[in-house]
Amino acid sequence: MTSQKSKSCVIIPARYKSSRFPGKPLAKIQNKPMIIWVAELSAKAVGKSHVYIATDDKRISEVVNKEGYQTIITSSNCLTGTDRIAEASKKLSYEIIVNVQGDEPLVDPNDIKKCISIKEENPKKVINGFSWINKNEDPENINIPKVVTNEKNELIYMSRKALPARKDILKEEPRYKKQVCIYAISPYELNLFYKYGKKSYLEKYEDIELLRFLELDIKIMMYECSKSSIAVDLPSDIKRVEDFLNKLNEK
């Protein structure tokens, strides 16, 4: 590993065996593997030497290393991406670790910086991003985790159902928040998460790993990201990302 001069880093969890999209980290977006898109954008926030890819697959590590990024090899039985990051973090000594999901190829570096800044001000809370679901997205899409917060922007619950629900939606157009998979965690919080040793009931039921922190009585503060993200859950999402990038290039 390189010498550490920063107290913050980004760790990107990446696994090859995805039930919905096998080989997803290496899927090409405009002829570049998606994991490299995420690594490059993360490097703009914390510097290339403070970006690590946590994986158990040699195919991913070879592609990442070829592009000059560091990999940390983890076990193949990690329950979640956060468990994978917890394993990887044991080989590092940063104060703040930012989990940037490997399927967020349009992540904004400024949102990563903002996440770190908020974590510095709130060291005893996990920090997670959200954006508003736009008119072209379906709130009932189970691949989009919806976020429910209180008036202090603390997470109350996260669900694959469209929440919060309204008794009468005729009076006002409903708006929903969705999770953006950038979150800042301390090594202490990661260790508690990992030592839990299993998926919590709600985490397993919803298939949303962040819910485990709520079971551990760790508060999660949500912050609004600068733009809506396009997470890649299915192969069809690649075209959505490429169409977005093509429109940016036309401007």
Side-chain angles (χ1 to χ4, degrees), residues 45-245:
V46 298
K48 190 170 183 176
S49 64
H50 303 294
V51 175
Y52 304 86
I53 289 77
T55 185
D56 63 345
D57 194 281
K58 289 183 178 179
R59 289 165 289 190
I60 294 173
S61 64
E62 287 173 359
V63 168
V64 168
N65 294 154
K66 185 178 178 181
E67 296 297 326
Y69 288 94
Q70 302 173 87
T71 54
I72 299 176
I73 302 301
T74 62
S75 64
S76 59
N77 57 356
C78 294
L79 295 174
T80 67
T82 304
D83 290 289
R84 192 175 304 282
I85 284 177
E87 277 195 11
S89 69
K90 293 176 183 178
K91 300 179 181 181
L92 304 170
S93 57
Y94 292 90
E95 295 176 22
I96 296 173
I97 295 159
V98 183
N99 178 348
V100 178
Q101 295 290 79
D103 58 5
E104 292 273 357
L106 300 177
V107 64
D108 189 332
N110 289 324
D111 288 332
I112 298 175
K113 292 178 182 178
K114 186 175 181 180
C115 189
I116 293 170
S117 177
I118 297 172
K119 179 63 174 175
E120 289 173 339
E121 296 169 0
N122 300 271
K124 294 185 178 180
K125 296 179 181 178
V126 170
I127 312 301
N128 186 204
F130 77 87
S131 62
W132 292 97
I133 290 180
N134 63 50
K135 62 182 179 181
N136 297 318
E137 296 175 302
D138 180 9
E140 296 292 346
N141 184 345
I142 62 170
N143 292 320
I144 302 175
K146 270 67 67 175
V147 173
V148 182
T149 58
N150 61 21
E151 293 184 2
K152 295 185 289 185
N153 280 329
E154 293 172 341
L155 180 68
I156 296 174
Y157 192 59
M158 196 177 292
S159 177
R160 295 189 180 276
K161 289 289 290 182
L163 295 178
R166 286 184 61 89
K167 183 179 179 182
D168 181 0
I169 64 171
L170 299 177
K171 295 179 181 178
E172 180 183 330
E173 188 70 24
R175 296 187 75 197
Y176 302 96
K177 297 174 180 177
K178 69 175 181 179
Q179 182 191 32
V180 176
C181 289
I182 305 169
Y183 37 100
I185 326 164
S186 69
Y188 173 75
E189 291 158 345
L190 272 174
N191 187 49
L192 287 179
F193 185 95
Y194 189 77
K195 284 175 63 179
Y196 198 77
K198 63 179 181 178
K199 291 187 177 183
S200 70
Y201 174 76
L202 291 175
E203 173 192 5
K204 187 175 181 180
Y205 196 87
E206 293 273 11
D207 193 21
I208 299 174
E209 61 204 70
L210 214 65
L211 292 174
R212 197 186 308 178
F213 286 112
L214 295 185
E215 298 284 4
L216 291 165
D217 290 326
I218 296 173
K219 289 186 180 297
I220 301 171
M221 177 174 285
M222 307 298 298
Y223 73 100
E224 186 170 359
C225 290
S226 58
K227 62 183 181 183
S228 181
S229 68
I230 302 177
V232 176
D233 293 299
L234 302 168
S236 57
D237 293 326
I238 296 289
K239 186 178 185 305
R240 293 176 60 218
V241 173
E242 290 185 328
D243 288 346
F244 180 85
L245 291 169

